[in-house]
Amino acid sequence: MANELTKKQWQFYQENGYVVLGQLLSDHELAQLQQRIDDIMLGKADINYDKLLMQLDAKTGEYADIGAQTRGHKGPTKEYRKIQDLEYDPLFLAYMRRPIFADICRRHYGDTPIACFRAMFMNKPAHKGTYLPWHQDRWNFLDRDPVVTLWTALDPATIGNGCVQVIPGSHKHGLINPDNPSGFLTKEQGAQYCPKEKVAYMEMKPGEVALMNNWLLHSSDINKTDVSRRAFSVCYMDAHTKHTKGSEDYTTIFGPGALTDQDLKRWRQIA
Ligand SMILES: O=C(O)CCC(=O)C(=O)O
């Protein structure tokens, strides 16, 4: 398995703000991650649920109606929209530490420790899911903008089941709506920057991975099919990044101070 990007992938990414890297998970590894996330949703995983941010999906498909983003399990159901803090699960953490992801971080941030802003499961159950409006991935409470997101398909991602849609090259615009705390566009900006003819659909096979620049405009639709659309998305950042308005700690993934097996055990409250 490749441990670094090819020249061609890097060039495509620089031009377009995203690149599909191909299959990085074997069938077995994929099945393990699929099983683990299902177990987490169903309350069967050996994990400290009080530490996980778990958000139920909207019943209406509308972004405005999605559930609270709070910690803790909210009942056994596969209808979670989002689950964060998965770096504390050993299987997801091991995957996040692949050498190719370290190479990608080095290319963007240089030789510095790398933390994860979020390690997030994003889900669109069959015939469900919520429309995610056009946005750039940025958060105005950070003292610098993270730039690297790696998005892994855990199911087939198709136009029908709500694959990620992108506007190629839009990362070059810089921040489009700096007034929005998390990068969402106004309706007018959406119409201006994201007309239908500019949209590219990131259709992907299960186990395929896409590198996305955080400033790339992206969105995703509801799931209109019988096939669920599970995905794992990790935003990597320079570990020196600070929360300017609160006290949130971010987990170091690569370099000095990185999470250890002992930390994981402690966190899972296993003596
Ligand atoms: O999975 C999706 O539908 C969108 C995810 C997203 O916005 C992200 O990973 O930054």
Side-chain angles (χ1 to χ4, degrees):
M1 193 154 298
N3 283 343
E4 46 186 63
L5 296 190
T6 64
K7 202 170 163 194
K8 210 166 144 194
Q9 287 171 332
W10 183 240
Q11 279 170 351
F12 184 93
Y13 166 75
Q14 285 183 308
E15 190 53 33
N16 294 285
Y18 75 103
V19 61
V20 178
L21 304 174
Q23 198 87 30
L24 296 191
L25 287 168
S26 68
D27 290 351
H28 176 65
E29 290 163 338
L30 174 66
Q32 283 184 314
L33 289 178
Q34 289 170 332
Q35 184 68 51
R36 182 62 59 92
I37 202 63
D38 283 356
D39 284 349
I40 290 174
M41 287 194 276
L42 295 176
K44 296 198 246 168
D46 175 19
I47 199 161
N48 183 338
Y49 281 93
D50 291 345
K51 302 278 189 185
L52 290 187
L53 190 153
M54 298 185 75
Q55 179 187 51
L56 288 168
D57 210 346
K59 299 233 181 300
T60 57
E62 296 293 328
Y63 189 74
D65 297 332
I66 50 182
Q69 296 203 41
T70 52
R71 296 194 190 269
H73 195 240
K74 296 173 177 66
T77 168
K78 290 197 189 166
E79 294 188 5
Y80 284 94
R81 171 180 180 268
K82 175 157 112 174
I83 300 176
Q84 260 178 232
D85 304 302
L86 288 170
E87 70 271 28
Y88 289 107
D89 177 87
L91 202 64
F92 279 98
L93 178 64
Y95 173 60
M96 289 164 65
R97 285 196 165 135
R98 292 269 176 108
I100 190 164
F101 302 150
D103 169 62
I104 289 167
C105 290
R106 230 177 349 258
R107 286 170 191 256
H108 287 83
Y109 301 115
D111 207 3
T112 184
I114 299 296
C116 97
F117 172 73
R118 64 182 183 190
M120 166 176 88
F121 169 63
M122 276 295 271
N123 189 29
K124 293 181 193 273
H127 294 286
K128 298 230 159 80
T130 299
Y131 170 68
L132 178 64
W134 288 103
H135 66 286
Q136 297 172 303
D137 279 341
R138 73 89 52 154
W139 301 279
N140 69 356
F141 50 82
L142 295 179
D143 68 354
R144 67 201 85 179
D145 275 14
V147 273
V148 175
T149 289
L150 283 143
W151 193 96
T152 303
L154 298 178
D155 286 315
T158 63
I159 293 178
N161 75 359
C163 69
V164 176
Q165 306 178 24
V166 302
I167 305 294
S170 53
H171 63 304
K172 293 182 182 166
H173 292 304
L175 283 181
I176 295 172
N177 191 8
D179 293 338
N180 185 280
S182 44
F184 283 86
L185 301 192
T186 63
K187 218 169 156 197
E188 294 71 32
Q189 289 168 333
Q192 180 186 348
Y193 287 95
C194 312
K196 274 199 166 42
E197 66 275 12
K198 286 198 180 163
V199 175
Y201 293 86
M202 281 203 326
E203 289 198 288
M204 289 163 58
K205 297 194 187 78
E208 282 197 316
V209 180
L211 164 62
M212 296 165 67
N213 185 288
N214 276 45
W215 284 358
L216 178 75
L217 283 166
H218 58 290
S219 74
S220 61
D221 216 334
I222 60 170
N223 184 346
K224 303 186 189 98
T225 74
D226 295 335
V227 180
S228 63
R229 201 232 68 182
R230 293 168 294 177
F232 179 51
S233 176
V234 182
C235 174
Y236 295 87
M237 65 186 185
D238 182 330
H240 298 100
T241 307
K242 296 270 177 292
H243 192 306
T244 58
K245 296 180 182 158
S247 59
E248 192 150 5
D249 283 333
Y250 298 106
T251 309
T252 302
I253 303 296
F254 296 120
L259 202 62
T260 63
D261 286 351
Q262 266 193 330
D263 295 330
L264 277 191
K265 274 196 185 156
R266 202 168 44 243
W267 189 83
R268 286 158 68 204
Q269 296 183 331
I270 298 170

